Amino acid sequence: MDSNLHLPLGQNRKAATPKRKRLSLERLLTGLCTAVVLGLSVYATLPFQGLQRPAAEATAPEPPKDIAQAEPPADAKPPARNGLPVAHSHSGANVEATTTDDGSVVIKYTPKSRESSGPVLVGTDKVGQDPRMAAMPNDALLEDTPEGRLPIVGPDGMRPVDHYARPWSGARATRVAIVVGGLGLSQTGTQRAIKQLPEEITLAFAASGNSLQRWMQEARRNGHEILLQVPLEPFDYPDNDPGPDTLLTANAPKENLKRLHRSMAKITNYTGVMNYLGGRFLSNADALEPVMRDVAGRGLLFLDDGSSAQTLSGTIGKTLEAPQAFADLQLDGQVDETAILTKLDELERIARRNGSAIGVASAFDESIAAISKWSNEAATRGIEIVGVASLATDR
């Protein structure tokens, strides 16, 4: 029997097979392209949920001292996202942190019952933002007030000191934090500091500076953790005036908090507050305690620059069990690059002796040059430069 009998006239079976394959392949590719286009169109209509940093990258080994204190009260209505209540990442665990004799922190997790039943949406990011989102504030960590938008603890217990902190390796190495302050006061100095300093250096913006929001965004995009410097009354005030909205010992606490909040509203995305001058204010417990309480209640750390021997910030911070840090060394009391490098070597010796150390400086050209040079060499000597939030106590 002729094998071509049932084929169209003039076409044999061998010639028909490739054509059918080509037609099938064309139909398949057309269908796939249509599906991809439709899929992208549907995806574009979905609400943007933000980018989450993987927990393995973002988690530091030192949790808040009392996680339960950071969670919403039991009678509070839990927030919902996509129909599910949102829970704190530690809402199903008891967390105990114990410091050993060698300074290591041992964290013990044991199960506990959640306050609500049924499924919940648990966030996994604890410390640090995704770098692609670092210049954008987290709206859940802000509240609208007459003074402006102020930082707060989020509904799931997330604090600004954790969310905006620069993640670190978690390795048991010698850690050093360097804070360069006074940013915003000089446009050229601010730009130089953001561009030239390594991203591991923490930057502190003076509340009385200019274009702070723009500089904050640029600093965050470059990887820096940031602080806000709030003007406090020095001993020689008013001859030495830190600037507008200086917090004064003669003011009532309500007035000082109002001034504090006006300064806080200047920028977002900072992990804490640092004093700008303030020897007299830091030595007055009645004036300082309400301020530090407010700062801690908003989930921020308080950094004392160590310039005043009479400061009470350490004592008050321990009483409040608040995130706090204390500078070990002023690096540029003498504005000379060689002298600053000598101070940085001294800071390294302190860190090797104590496990960690914090140095502070101002955005002078000499300071920026010395810190950049020293930082680039520190890693070769086993020094890890970290954001200051990682060295705050009671985190």
Side-chain angles (χ1 to χ4, degrees):
M1 180 180 292
D2 186 355
S3 62
N4 294 325
L5 184 61
H6 300 289
L7 293 175
L9 186 63
Q11 184 176 356
N12 59 38
R13 190 178 303 276
K14 290 182 179 179
T17 302
K19 184 175 181 181
R20 286 176 181 172
K21 288 182 178 179
R22 285 197 300 271
L23 290 173
S24 299
L25 181 59
E26 290 171 358
R27 291 193 183 103
L28 178 60
L29 291 175
T30 302
L32 288 174
C33 292
T34 303
V36 170
V37 171
L38 289 174
L40 290 174
S41 300
V42 171
Y43 178 78
T45 64
L46 295 175
F48 176 70
Q49 298 296 329
L51 298 171
Q52 297 289 335
R53 188 178 187 86
E57 295 179 8
T59 302
E62 299 172 337
K65 185 174 182 179
D66 188 351
I67 298 298
Q69 292 179 354
E71 298 177 10
D75 58 353
K77 184 178 179 180
R81 187 180 300 164
N82 295 335
L84 291 176
V86 177
H88 190 273
S89 57
H90 287 133
S91 61
N94 293 306
V95 183
E96 300 176 34
T98 304
T99 303
T100 61
D101 294 338
D102 64 356
S104 303
V105 177
V106 178
I107 304 173
K108 179 181 178 182
Y109 296 87
T110 55
K112 75 172 182 180
S113 298
R114 284 197 171 94
E115 297 167 348
S116 59
S117 59
V120 295
L121 188 63
V122 177
T124 56
D125 61 325
K126 288 178 53 186
V127 177
Q129 287 179 294
D130 187 294
R132 294 164 292 183
M133 305 288 289
M136 300 176 63
N138 185 338
D139 288 336
L141 303 183
L142 291 169
E143 67 169 347
D144 293 320
T145 74
E147 284 75 35
R149 304 188 78 192
L150 302 181
I152 56 169
V153 177
D156 61 350
M158 177 62 71
R159 302 179 301 175
V161 67
D162 299 316
H163 185 68
Y164 298 124
R166 179 180 171 82
W168 62 290
S169 69
R172 295 175 61 182
T174 301
R175 292 182 292 164
V176 169
I178 300 174
V179 181
V180 175
L183 273 72
L185 298 177
S186 164
Q187 298 294 294
T188 55
T190 300
Q191 186 175 35
R192 186 178 293 109
I194 294 174
K195 293 294 185 182
Q196 296 184 12
L197 287 170
E199 62 183 25
E200 297 86 1
I201 304 301
T202 302
L203 303 181
F205 289 83
S208 57
N210 299 310
S211 306
L212 294 186
Q213 192 69 14
R214 174 169 66 90
W215 291 125
M216 176 279 290
Q217 292 173 345
E218 186 170 346
R220 293 290 292 158
R221 281 193 292 265
N222 284 8
H224 296 281
E225 182 178 317
I226 65 172
L227 299 172
L228 175 70
Q229 285 182 289
V230 174
L232 306 180
E233 179 184 2
F235 283 111
D236 52 353
Y237 182 85
D239 294 334
N240 186 8
D241 190 345
D245 284 327
T246 296
L247 277 60
L248 303 174
T249 56
N251 287 344
K254 183 177 181 180
E255 173 61 23
N256 278 331
L257 289 178
K258 186 176 182 178
R259 294 186 178 198
L260 172 67
H261 294 165
R262 281 200 293 262
S263 293
M264 281 183 166
K266 296 290 182 66
I267 55 173
T268 58
N269 295 44
Y270 51 91
T271 58
V273 167
M274 174 183 177
N275 64 293
Y276 182 63
L277 300 180
R280 177 177 291 166
F281 195 91
L282 291 169
S283 66
N284 188 308
D286 292 336
L288 182 60
E289 192 274 343
V291 169
M292 291 192 64
R293 183 179 296 276
D294 185 86
V295 169
R298 296 183 177 280
L300 300 167
L301 69 88
F302 186 89
L303 172 64
D304 190 316
D305 69 3
S307 60
S308 174
Q310 301 179 41
T311 181
L312 299 175
S313 67
T315 302
I316 294 174
K318 289 179 181 178
T319 301
L320 297 175
E321 296 186 342
Q324 63 170 334
F326 196 93
D328 296 280
L329 207 58
Q330 297 273 331
L331 299 174
D332 54 2
Q334 182 180 350
V335 185
D336 173 79
E337 185 173 338
T338 302
I340 296 168
L341 286 170
T342 301
K343 283 289 187 179
L344 285 164
D345 290 338
E346 183 180 346
L347 185 69
E348 179 177 334
R349 289 192 291 273
I350 295 172
R352 291 191 184 281
R353 183 170 64 248
N354 300 333
S356 64
I358 300 173
V360 297
S362 297
F364 300 123
D365 292 349
E366 295 84 353
S367 302
I368 294 171
I371 292 169
S372 298
K373 180 178 180 180
W374 184 88
S375 299
N376 291 332
E377 299 171 351
T380 64
R381 299 192 298 273
I383 301 294
E384 181 176 8
I385 301 176
V386 297
V388 72
S390 69
L391 300 184
T393 59
D394 291 298
R395 277 195 63 215

